[in-house]
Amino acid sequence: MSKSSTIRQGAARARAAYKMLTARGHPPLSEELSAWESDHREIADNGASAARDAARSMIQQHAAQLAASPAPIVLEGVDPPWLLLELAEATPRSPTGYQPGIRVVQADAAEFFSGCARANLTPLLADTRIEWFIGTDAGQRLRLAMDAETDQLSQSVITVPTIGTRVRPDVATICQQAATRQQQRHIAHSERAKLRDTDIPNRQRLKRLTSSDADEPRRVALIASRFTAVLRPQIEDLAEAFRRAGWQTRLISETDDHRRLAPNAYSEVFDVFDPDLIIATNYTRQDIVTRVLGGTPLPCGVPWVTWIQDAMPHLLGPRVGSSLGPLDFAIGHISRTMTETRGFSREQVLTAPMFTSDTKFTPPIEAHECDRCEVAAFTNHSETPESMRNRLIQESSNTPQLHAVVADLASAALELAERPYNTFHAGYEARRVVQNVIPTAKASTVENLAITVVRPLIDRVQRHRVLGWAREICQRRGWTMRVHGKGWLEHPTLADVAAGELAHGEPLARAYHGAGLTLHVSSTAIMHQRLIECAFAGGLPCAGATYASVRFAQSRIIKRLLADHAHLGRPAIRPQGPGLPAEPVRVFDRAVSPLADRNGALSTLIGWPDEQTTAVPDIDPASCKDSADEADLDAMIGLVELGFSDSAGLEALIERANADPAWRAEHSRRIADRARKSCTHASLVRRIESAYASLSATGRASA
């Protein structure tokens, strides 16, 4: 390129940078651009290649640390732009959706324009994760931006070695002082909340919490990470349900994809918003104190609800439930193991199914033509079982002994998962795998490794196997299949049916509505939020009938029948063998079988009078009334009726769902009607309110 062409190209890049920066709301730099254009000379390219190589080497030495940075990375200097370009490339978006932000600071606008002239920075200027502080007031605007943050702040700075004019005071000092001020605000908020906390007795908090006619609305703070595919939409929808019930709400979550919360984000809400109730997904009060706040105590008197949706490792520690205070509850998926060995008091546990929005996914919904297909699936679990195995082993590599154990567990899990998934109880078998590999392991270790290594691998194999069945069926029958979620475009065998991610709301509802059948596969449970969403949207969910889910459905069905027909007495239950909890048994004798007609097709599930089914507890009819579980059971019944256990069964369901619209609509309506009774966020709000009303009435926590 000629010298004049190089000059013209550089000037055009600088003008384009000015326009983009101004369009993003940056203070105008028109005078600075004019001065630069009248004075700028040819941008020398001598040594540019070596300078970029040096920048790349510098960034790559710290790539892992930079990519995981919990705070926006601060870079001072754009001329030359090689450090900025390499930094942007070395900090990609993670599988969770997080990507660290970048703050670019340049005191001399002429240096900024010279850097823009050297390379095409248009993509970076358009990238909203990159903030620009250019000009003589760059340091002041950086300080104001950082002081407004409740997210984590960087205290270190990357500086271009050849920078001319530096920000004064220097950028590192600005960052460190901003972090200090944020910590001081956190301490002040915490002290005020703590002081108020000690002045309010439990009975006063309960009175406030259970009174809907107070002078001002009750207040609830809800905590959920932005970087979760399910929990963040769930907590947002729950917040909306609280607002409809007359509460004021405040969500504690990351403000965008490029931030991580600082302790001040929590303490400010606890102090200024002063909630009457706090709800956190998958974290107890003590978890937040130790894992997030670095030991800073939370208000111990404010009622706290831990909503457990996943069996995460930190929820499996010994006596974790003992951290619940007298005004605290745990709701959701709380296993018998958690109440027996993890310190969760049964009096403070509210069993609850999956919940979904009763407004976001309610018809009328019109699917677009691009949404229509014979079968669809919605999952972010695109990582192959083999890649997942290697990742789990690699994540344990810092401990050689654990590394070998995880490798053995992963191999055993993959071998076990090759069995038909409806022939074994994945939860029980996962624990047995761990016991075989580590015979001397403590019960807590067995449970932890079963949940974090073995069961996820089993589930992944089975999920991908069923998607493979559906793909083969659709190819053979000339049907259309779509798999929505992260990462499927890179999948080795399912990339051709990948359909990208969908926002949680109208786009997802249209896709549910437009699919003839929506698939769901889980080795351990049939209930899932997405299935309820699908039915609410007018779609037809179809779940793999796993051994565990059918066994659970059977026990709940029997419980219902016994409650409704207690006058018949207890039916015969004849176990086979000394028995594991999941050992097949014959459940009812012929005298009880006519009761199956009450639930139609359920007779085929329970298998009377001769089919082998799975074990159920020896239930006393007098203890069977449990209204909180009624609609949970109804939703379960509808889902199990549409279960499949092999490729032929799946093909038959896909065919009927698409060939018989009336049948599809009727089953969709039945599942939605059943789930609407207690699987909505509005019903969860009522359940929480009822629990605290009962607590207040008993006086158990009135001190």
Side-chain angles (χ1 to χ4, degrees), residues 385-386 409-424 426 429-430 433 453-466 469 523:
E386 294 75 18
L409 290 174
S411 298
L414 293 179
E415 182 179 351
L416 175 64
E418 291 303 318
R419 289 168 49 186
Y421 70 91
N422 63 317
T423 64
F424 65 96
E429 296 279 7
V433 164
V453 178
V454 183
R455 272 171 50 181
L457 276 168
I458 293 173
D459 193 79
R460 190 61 53 91
V461 170
Q462 293 167 349
R463 190 181 302 263
H464 285 222
R465 177 194 295 151
V466 170
W469 289 349
S523 64

mmCIF file of all heavy atoms in Angstrom, residues 385-386 409-424 426 429-430 433 453-466 469 523:
data_model
loop_
_atom_site.group_PDB
_atom_site.id
_atom_site.type_symbol
_atom_site.label_atom_id
_atom_site.label_comp_id
_atom_site.label_asym_id
_atom_site.label_seq_id
_atom_site.Cartn_x
_atom_site.Cartn_y
_atom_site.Cartn_z
ATOM 1 N N PRO A 385 -20.179 -37.154 26.500
ATOM 2 C CA PRO A 385 -19.781 -37.903 27.699
ATOM 3 C C PRO A 385 -18.278 -38.077 27.813
ATOM 4 O O PRO A 385 -17.708 -37.994 28.909
ATOM 5 C CB PRO A 385 -20.500 -39.245 27.516
ATOM 6 C CG PRO A 385 -21.683 -38.932 26.680
ATOM 7 C CD PRO A 385 -21.227 -37.859 25.739
ATOM 8 N N GLU A 386 -17.607 -38.309 26.689
ATOM 9 C CA GLU A 386 -16.158 -38.499 26.724
ATOM 10 C C GLU A 386 -15.444 -37.211 27.141
ATOM 11 O O GLU A 386 -14.508 -37.231 27.958
ATOM 12 C CB GLU A 386 -15.659 -38.962 25.349
ATOM 13 C CG GLU A 386 -16.153 -40.338 24.933
ATOM 14 C CD GLU A 386 -17.615 -40.323 24.491
ATOM 15 O OE1 GLU A 386 -18.145 -39.216 24.176
ATOM 16 O OE2 GLU A 386 -18.237 -41.405 24.460
ATOM 17 N N LEU A 409 -13.975 -43.874 38.697
ATOM 18 C CA LEU A 409 -15.412 -43.636 38.807
ATOM 19 C C LEU A 409 -16.018 -43.297 37.454
ATOM 20 O O LEU A 409 -17.100 -43.781 37.104
ATOM 21 C CB LEU A 409 -15.689 -42.496 39.787
ATOM 22 C CG LEU A 409 -15.426 -42.753 41.267
ATOM 23 C CD1 LEU A 409 -15.627 -41.470 42.061
ATOM 24 C CD2 LEU A 409 -16.348 -43.848 41.792
ATOM 25 N N ALA A 410 -15.325 -42.457 36.700
ATOM 26 C CA ALA A 410 -15.839 -42.053 35.393
ATOM 27 C C ALA A 410 -15.938 -43.248 34.450
ATOM 28 O O ALA A 410 -16.932 -43.403 33.731
ATOM 29 C CB ALA A 410 -14.941 -40.968 34.794
ATOM 30 N N SER A 411 -14.931 -44.095 34.451
ATOM 31 C CA SER A 411 -14.970 -45.277 33.585
ATOM 32 C C SER A 411 -16.115 -46.203 33.983
ATOM 33 O O SER A 411 -16.847 -46.728 33.121
ATOM 34 C CB SER A 411 -13.638 -46.028 33.668
ATOM 35 O OG SER A 411 -12.581 -45.218 33.201
ATOM 36 N N ALA A 412 -16.309 -46.399 35.287
ATOM 37 C CA ALA A 412 -17.405 -47.262 35.758
ATOM 38 C C ALA A 412 -18.756 -46.655 35.418
ATOM 39 O O ALA A 412 -19.701 -47.370 35.055
ATOM 40 C CB ALA A 412 -17.276 -47.479 37.262
ATOM 41 N N ALA A 413 -18.857 -45.347 35.514
ATOM 42 C CA ALA A 413 -20.121 -44.681 35.205
ATOM 43 C C ALA A 413 -20.476 -44.835 33.729
ATOM 44 O O ALA A 413 -21.629 -45.110 33.380
ATOM 45 C CB ALA A 413 -20.033 -43.205 35.577
ATOM 46 N N LEU A 414 -19.499 -44.652 32.861
ATOM 47 C CA LEU A 414 -19.764 -44.786 31.425
ATOM 48 C C LEU A 414 -20.163 -46.215 31.071
ATOM 49 O O LEU A 414 -21.028 -46.441 30.219
ATOM 50 C CB LEU A 414 -18.535 -44.359 30.627
ATOM 51 C CG LEU A 414 -18.172 -42.874 30.710
ATOM 52 C CD1 LEU A 414 -16.913 -42.587 29.893
ATOM 53 C CD2 LEU A 414 -19.323 -42.010 30.215
ATOM 54 N N GLU A 415 -19.559 -47.171 31.735
ATOM 55 C CA GLU A 415 -19.925 -48.570 31.490
ATOM 56 C C GLU A 415 -21.349 -48.850 31.970
ATOM 57 O O GLU A 415 -22.147 -49.481 31.269
ATOM 58 C CB GLU A 415 -18.941 -49.494 32.206
ATOM 59 C CG GLU A 415 -19.221 -50.980 31.975
ATOM 60 C CD GLU A 415 -18.206 -51.873 32.670
ATOM 61 O OE1 GLU A 415 -17.195 -51.342 33.176
ATOM 62 O OE2 GLU A 415 -18.439 -53.092 32.719
ATOM 63 N N LEU A 416 -21.693 -48.360 33.152
ATOM 64 C CA LEU A 416 -23.034 -48.563 33.692
ATOM 65 C C LEU A 416 -24.084 -47.899 32.813
ATOM 66 O O LEU A 416 -25.171 -48.452 32.595
ATOM 67 C CB LEU A 416 -23.098 -47.981 35.107
ATOM 68 C CG LEU A 416 -24.462 -47.997 35.805
ATOM 69 C CD1 LEU A 416 -24.940 -49.423 36.024
ATOM 70 C CD2 LEU A 416 -24.379 -47.245 37.133
ATOM 71 N N ALA A 417 -23.769 -46.733 32.292
ATOM 72 C CA ALA A 417 -24.746 -45.972 31.514
ATOM 73 C C ALA A 417 -25.112 -46.638 30.201
ATOM 74 O O ALA A 417 -26.112 -46.266 29.576
ATOM 75 C CB ALA A 417 -24.202 -44.568 31.245
ATOM 76 N N GLU A 418 -24.349 -47.608 29.758
ATOM 77 C CA GLU A 418 -24.673 -48.310 28.516
ATOM 78 C C GLU A 418 -25.885 -49.217 28.676
ATOM 79 O O GLU A 418 -26.471 -49.653 27.689
ATOM 80 C CB GLU A 418 -23.457 -49.119 28.037
ATOM 81 C CG GLU A 418 -22.302 -48.258 27.549
ATOM 82 C CD GLU A 418 -22.738 -47.323 26.417
ATOM 83 O OE1 GLU A 418 -23.494 -47.770 25.530
ATOM 84 O OE2 GLU A 418 -22.346 -46.142 26.452
ATOM 85 N N ARG A 419 -26.272 -49.515 29.924
ATOM 86 C CA ARG A 419 -27.476 -50.312 30.141
ATOM 87 C C ARG A 419 -28.708 -49.481 29.789
ATOM 88 O O ARG A 419 -28.683 -48.258 29.879
ATOM 89 C CB ARG A 419 -27.563 -50.761 31.602
ATOM 90 C CG ARG A 419 -26.553 -51.817 31.975
ATOM 91 C CD ARG A 419 -26.472 -52.012 33.475
ATOM 92 N NE ARG A 419 -27.782 -52.183 34.116
ATOM 93 C CZ ARG A 419 -27.960 -52.261 35.432
ATOM 94 N NH1 ARG A 419 -26.911 -52.188 36.247
ATOM 95 N NH2 ARG A 419 -29.162 -52.416 35.926
ATOM 96 N N PRO A 420 -29.813 -50.124 29.391
ATOM 97 C CA PRO A 420 -31.052 -49.366 29.171
ATOM 98 C C PRO A 420 -31.422 -48.594 30.438
ATOM 99 O O PRO A 420 -31.458 -49.152 31.529
ATOM 100 C CB PRO A 420 -32.081 -50.460 28.857
ATOM 101 C CG PRO A 420 -31.270 -51.591 28.320
ATOM 102 C CD PRO A 420 -29.970 -51.553 29.070
ATOM 103 N N TYR A 421 -31.699 -47.304 30.282
ATOM 104 C CA TYR A 421 -31.810 -46.467 31.467
ATOM 105 C C TYR A 421 -33.071 -46.719 32.273
ATOM 106 O O TYR A 421 -33.211 -46.213 33.383
ATOM 107 C CB TYR A 421 -31.699 -44.990 31.094
ATOM 108 C CG TYR A 421 -32.868 -44.415 30.327
ATOM 109 C CD1 TYR A 421 -33.926 -43.826 30.990
ATOM 110 C CD2 TYR A 421 -32.890 -44.433 28.937
ATOM 111 C CE1 TYR A 421 -34.979 -43.282 30.295
ATOM 112 C CE2 TYR A 421 -33.937 -43.893 28.242
ATOM 113 C CZ TYR A 421 -34.986 -43.314 28.918
ATOM 114 O OH TYR A 421 -36.033 -42.781 28.220
ATOM 115 N N ASN A 422 -33.997 -47.511 31.762
ATOM 116 C CA ASN A 422 -35.191 -47.809 32.540
ATOM 117 C C ASN A 422 -35.051 -49.112 33.323
ATOM 118 O O ASN A 422 -36.006 -49.583 33.923
ATOM 119 C CB ASN A 422 -36.410 -47.900 31.630
ATOM 120 C CG ASN A 422 -36.286 -49.043 30.629
ATOM 121 O OD1 ASN A 422 -35.226 -49.235 30.049
ATOM 122 N ND2 ASN A 422 -37.360 -49.795 30.419
ATOM 123 N N THR A 423 -33.834 -49.684 33.347
ATOM 124 C CA THR A 423 -33.659 -50.970 34.028
ATOM 125 C C THR A 423 -32.914 -50.845 35.351
ATOM 126 O O THR A 423 -32.698 -51.851 36.018
ATOM 127 C CB THR A 423 -32.892 -51.961 33.135
ATOM 128 O OG1 THR A 423 -31.565 -51.456 32.902
ATOM 129 C CG2 THR A 423 -33.608 -52.179 31.814
ATOM 130 N N PHE A 424 -32.486 -49.649 35.714
ATOM 131 C CA PHE A 424 -31.768 -49.515 36.975
ATOM 132 C C PHE A 424 -32.048 -48.147 37.585
ATOM 133 O O PHE A 424 -32.379 -47.185 36.889
ATOM 134 C CB PHE A 424 -30.267 -49.706 36.787
ATOM 135 C CG PHE A 424 -29.596 -48.654 35.943
ATOM 136 C CD1 PHE A 424 -28.964 -47.565 36.531
ATOM 137 C CD2 PHE A 424 -29.577 -48.744 34.557
ATOM 138 C CE1 PHE A 424 -28.347 -46.602 35.767
ATOM 139 C CE2 PHE A 424 -28.956 -47.791 33.786
ATOM 140 C CZ PHE A 424 -28.341 -46.712 34.391
ATOM 141 N N ALA A 426 -30.721 -45.007 38.912
ATOM 142 C CA ALA A 426 -29.431 -44.327 38.740
ATOM 143 C C ALA A 426 -28.878 -43.807 40.063
ATOM 144 O O ALA A 426 -27.668 -43.860 40.293
ATOM 145 C CB ALA A 426 -29.573 -43.188 37.738
ATOM 146 N N GLU A 429 -27.556 -46.883 42.003
ATOM 147 C CA GLU A 429 -26.419 -47.481 41.308
ATOM 148 C C GLU A 429 -25.187 -46.579 41.371
ATOM 149 O O GLU A 429 -24.064 -47.059 41.445
ATOM 150 C CB GLU A 429 -26.787 -47.773 39.850
ATOM 151 C CG GLU A 429 -27.885 -48.801 39.664
ATOM 152 C CD GLU A 429 -27.370 -50.220 39.783
ATOM 153 O OE1 GLU A 429 -26.198 -50.406 40.146
ATOM 154 O OE2 GLU A 429 -28.145 -51.157 39.503
ATOM 155 N N ALA A 430 -25.400 -45.254 41.338
ATOM 156 C CA ALA A 430 -24.263 -44.333 41.419
ATOM 157 C C ALA A 430 -23.551 -44.480 42.753
ATOM 158 O O ALA A 430 -22.319 -44.489 42.815
ATOM 159 C CB ALA A 430 -24.745 -42.900 41.214
ATOM 160 N N VAL A 433 -21.522 -47.670 42.723
ATOM 161 C CA VAL A 433 -20.285 -47.531 41.962
ATOM 162 C C VAL A 433 -19.190 -46.934 42.848
ATOM 163 O O VAL A 433 -18.048 -47.411 42.873
ATOM 164 C CB VAL A 433 -20.507 -46.655 40.714
ATOM 165 C CG1 VAL A 433 -19.170 -46.181 40.139
ATOM 166 C CG2 VAL A 433 -21.272 -47.430 39.655
ATOM 167 N N VAL A 453 -19.944 -36.812 40.158
ATOM 168 C CA VAL A 453 -19.198 -37.502 39.098
ATOM 169 C C VAL A 453 -20.052 -38.557 38.400
ATOM 170 O O VAL A 453 -20.263 -38.492 37.178
ATOM 171 C CB VAL A 453 -17.917 -38.170 39.659
ATOM 172 C CG1 VAL A 453 -17.189 -38.935 38.546
ATOM 173 C CG2 VAL A 453 -16.987 -37.125 40.266
ATOM 174 N N VAL A 454 -20.549 -39.524 39.157
ATOM 175 C CA VAL A 454 -21.165 -40.700 38.534
ATOM 176 C C VAL A 454 -22.510 -40.376 37.907
ATOM 177 O O VAL A 454 -22.749 -40.664 36.723
ATOM 178 C CB VAL A 454 -21.302 -41.845 39.559
ATOM 179 C CG1 VAL A 454 -21.888 -43.083 38.880
ATOM 180 C CG2 VAL A 454 -19.944 -42.167 40.175
ATOM 181 N N ARG A 455 -23.414 -39.788 38.674
ATOM 182 C CA ARG A 455 -24.741 -39.519 38.136
ATOM 183 C C ARG A 455 -24.728 -38.559 36.953
ATOM 184 O O ARG A 455 -25.436 -38.787 35.961
ATOM 185 C CB ARG A 455 -25.658 -39.007 39.245
ATOM 186 C CG ARG A 455 -26.345 -40.140 39.989
ATOM 187 C CD ARG A 455 -27.094 -39.701 41.219
ATOM 188 N NE ARG A 455 -27.976 -38.589 41.008
ATOM 189 C CZ ARG A 455 -28.720 -38.036 41.979
ATOM 190 N NH1 ARG A 455 -28.664 -38.543 43.204
ATOM 191 N NH2 ARG A 455 -29.505 -37.019 41.741
ATOM 192 N N PRO A 456 -23.935 -37.471 36.985
ATOM 193 C CA PRO A 456 -23.906 -36.602 35.805
ATOM 194 C C PRO A 456 -23.429 -37.321 34.544
ATOM 195 O O PRO A 456 -23.940 -37.055 33.448
ATOM 196 C CB PRO A 456 -22.932 -35.490 36.212
ATOM 197 C CG PRO A 456 -23.013 -35.450 37.695
ATOM 198 C CD PRO A 456 -23.182 -36.875 38.117
ATOM 199 N N LEU A 457 -22.465 -38.225 34.685
ATOM 200 C CA LEU A 457 -21.996 -38.957 33.508
ATOM 201 C C LEU A 457 -23.060 -39.926 32.989
ATOM 202 O O LEU A 457 -23.267 -40.046 31.778
ATOM 203 C CB LEU A 457 -20.706 -39.704 33.837
ATOM 204 C CG LEU A 457 -19.418 -38.882 33.726
ATOM 205 C CD1 LEU A 457 -18.251 -39.632 34.342
ATOM 206 C CD2 LEU A 457 -19.122 -38.543 32.273
ATOM 207 N N ILE A 458 -23.720 -40.627 33.905
ATOM 208 C CA ILE A 458 -24.812 -41.510 33.488
ATOM 209 C C ILE A 458 -25.878 -40.702 32.744
ATOM 210 O O ILE A 458 -26.355 -41.086 31.676
ATOM 211 C CB ILE A 458 -25.428 -42.216 34.712
ATOM 212 C CG1 ILE A 458 -24.420 -43.190 35.326
ATOM 213 C CG2 ILE A 458 -26.706 -42.951 34.338
ATOM 214 C CD1 ILE A 458 -24.883 -43.801 36.639
ATOM 215 N N ASP A 459 -26.237 -39.593 33.333
ATOM 216 C CA ASP A 459 -27.268 -38.744 32.745
ATOM 217 C C ASP A 459 -26.859 -38.247 31.363
ATOM 218 O O ASP A 459 -27.677 -38.216 30.437
ATOM 219 C CB ASP A 459 -27.523 -37.558 33.672
ATOM 220 C CG ASP A 459 -28.787 -36.810 33.314
ATOM 221 O OD1 ASP A 459 -29.869 -37.295 33.671
ATOM 222 O OD2 ASP A 459 -28.687 -35.746 32.673
ATOM 223 N N ARG A 460 -25.584 -37.875 31.222
ATOM 224 C CA ARG A 460 -25.121 -37.346 29.937
ATOM 225 C C ARG A 460 -25.169 -38.418 28.845
ATOM 226 O O ARG A 460 -25.594 -38.146 27.713
ATOM 227 C CB ARG A 460 -23.699 -36.790 30.089
ATOM 228 C CG ARG A 460 -23.200 -35.988 28.887
ATOM 229 C CD ARG A 460 -24.084 -34.784 28.643
ATOM 230 N NE ARG A 460 -24.258 -33.965 29.824
ATOM 231 C CZ ARG A 460 -23.461 -32.939 30.141
ATOM 232 N NH1 ARG A 460 -22.446 -32.616 29.353
ATOM 233 N NH2 ARG A 460 -23.689 -32.228 31.223
ATOM 234 N N VAL A 461 -24.746 -39.628 29.170
ATOM 235 C CA VAL A 461 -24.795 -40.720 28.191
ATOM 236 C C VAL A 461 -26.230 -40.946 27.746
ATOM 237 O O VAL A 461 -26.532 -41.056 26.544
ATOM 238 C CB VAL A 461 -24.207 -42.018 28.782
ATOM 239 C CG1 VAL A 461 -24.483 -43.198 27.852
ATOM 240 C CG2 VAL A 461 -22.706 -41.868 29.006
ATOM 241 N N GLN A 462 -27.141 -41.016 28.693
ATOM 242 C CA GLN A 462 -28.522 -41.324 28.360
ATOM 243 C C GLN A 462 -29.186 -40.189 27.589
ATOM 244 O O GLN A 462 -29.959 -40.427 26.655
ATOM 245 C CB GLN A 462 -29.282 -41.653 29.646
ATOM 246 C CG GLN A 462 -28.787 -42.947 30.270
ATOM 247 C CD GLN A 462 -29.274 -43.157 31.680
ATOM 248 O OE1 GLN A 462 -29.829 -42.252 32.285
ATOM 249 N NE2 GLN A 462 -29.070 -44.346 32.211
ATOM 250 N N ARG A 463 -28.884 -38.968 27.955
ATOM 251 C CA ARG A 463 -29.449 -37.816 27.247
ATOM 252 C C ARG A 463 -29.016 -37.820 25.782
ATOM 253 O O ARG A 463 -29.835 -37.653 24.866
ATOM 254 C CB ARG A 463 -29.004 -36.520 27.926
ATOM 255 C CG ARG A 463 -29.699 -35.277 27.440
ATOM 256 C CD ARG A 463 -29.143 -34.074 28.182
ATOM 257 N NE ARG A 463 -29.312 -34.204 29.621
ATOM 258 C CZ ARG A 463 -30.300 -33.662 30.313
ATOM 259 N NH1 ARG A 463 -31.237 -32.976 29.696
ATOM 260 N NH2 ARG A 463 -30.363 -33.806 31.627
ATOM 261 N N HIS A 464 -27.720 -38.019 25.550
ATOM 262 C CA HIS A 464 -27.220 -38.002 24.176
ATOM 263 C C HIS A 464 -27.702 -39.229 23.403
ATOM 264 O O HIS A 464 -27.925 -39.151 22.193
ATOM 265 C CB HIS A 464 -25.695 -37.923 24.180
ATOM 266 C CG HIS A 464 -25.178 -36.563 24.531
ATOM 267 N ND1 HIS A 464 -24.127 -35.968 23.882
ATOM 268 C CD2 HIS A 464 -25.585 -35.660 25.465
ATOM 269 C CE1 HIS A 464 -23.899 -34.771 24.401
ATOM 270 N NE2 HIS A 464 -24.771 -34.575 25.369
ATOM 271 N N ARG A 465 -27.870 -40.351 24.088
ATOM 272 C CA ARG A 465 -28.379 -41.548 23.415
ATOM 273 C C ARG A 465 -29.791 -41.315 22.885
ATOM 274 O O ARG A 465 -30.107 -41.629 21.744
ATOM 275 C CB ARG A 465 -28.376 -42.733 24.368
ATOM 276 C CG ARG A 465 -28.978 -44.010 23.757
ATOM 277 C CD ARG A 465 -29.269 -45.038 24.824
ATOM 278 N NE ARG A 465 -28.053 -45.509 25.451
ATOM 279 C CZ ARG A 465 -27.970 -45.940 26.697
ATOM 280 N NH1 ARG A 465 -29.045 -45.939 27.476
ATOM 281 N NH2 ARG A 465 -26.826 -46.366 27.185
ATOM 282 N N VAL A 466 -30.666 -40.738 23.723
ATOM 283 C CA VAL A 466 -32.049 -40.509 23.304
ATOM 284 C C VAL A 466 -32.104 -39.473 22.179
ATOM 285 O O VAL A 466 -32.884 -39.623 21.226
ATOM 286 C CB VAL A 466 -32.898 -40.067 24.505
ATOM 287 C CG1 VAL A 466 -34.276 -39.596 24.047
ATOM 288 C CG2 VAL A 466 -33.049 -41.222 25.487
ATOM 289 N N TRP A 469 -31.361 -41.298 19.139
ATOM 290 C CA TRP A 469 -32.539 -42.040 18.659
ATOM 291 C C TRP A 469 -33.447 -41.110 17.853
ATOM 292 O O TRP A 469 -33.883 -41.453 16.747
ATOM 293 C CB TRP A 469 -33.357 -42.568 19.844
ATOM 294 C CG TRP A 469 -32.766 -43.667 20.629
ATOM 295 C CD1 TRP A 469 -31.665 -44.413 20.316
ATOM 296 C CD2 TRP A 469 -33.248 -44.154 21.890
ATOM 297 N NE1 TRP A 469 -31.421 -45.325 21.311
ATOM 298 C CE2 TRP A 469 -32.380 -45.204 22.273
ATOM 299 C CE3 TRP A 469 -34.297 -43.806 22.715
ATOM 300 C CZ2 TRP A 469 -32.563 -45.903 23.464
ATOM 301 C CZ3 TRP A 469 -34.492 -44.493 23.899
ATOM 302 C CH2 TRP A 469 -33.627 -45.540 24.270
ATOM 303 N N SER A 523 -31.796 -39.160 34.100
ATOM 304 C CA SER A 523 -31.654 -40.503 34.658
ATOM 305 C C SER A 523 -32.251 -40.625 36.043
ATOM 306 O O SER A 523 -32.444 -41.731 36.545
ATOM 307 C CB SER A 523 -30.170 -40.888 34.712
ATOM 308 O OG SER A 523 -29.472 -40.024 35.594
#
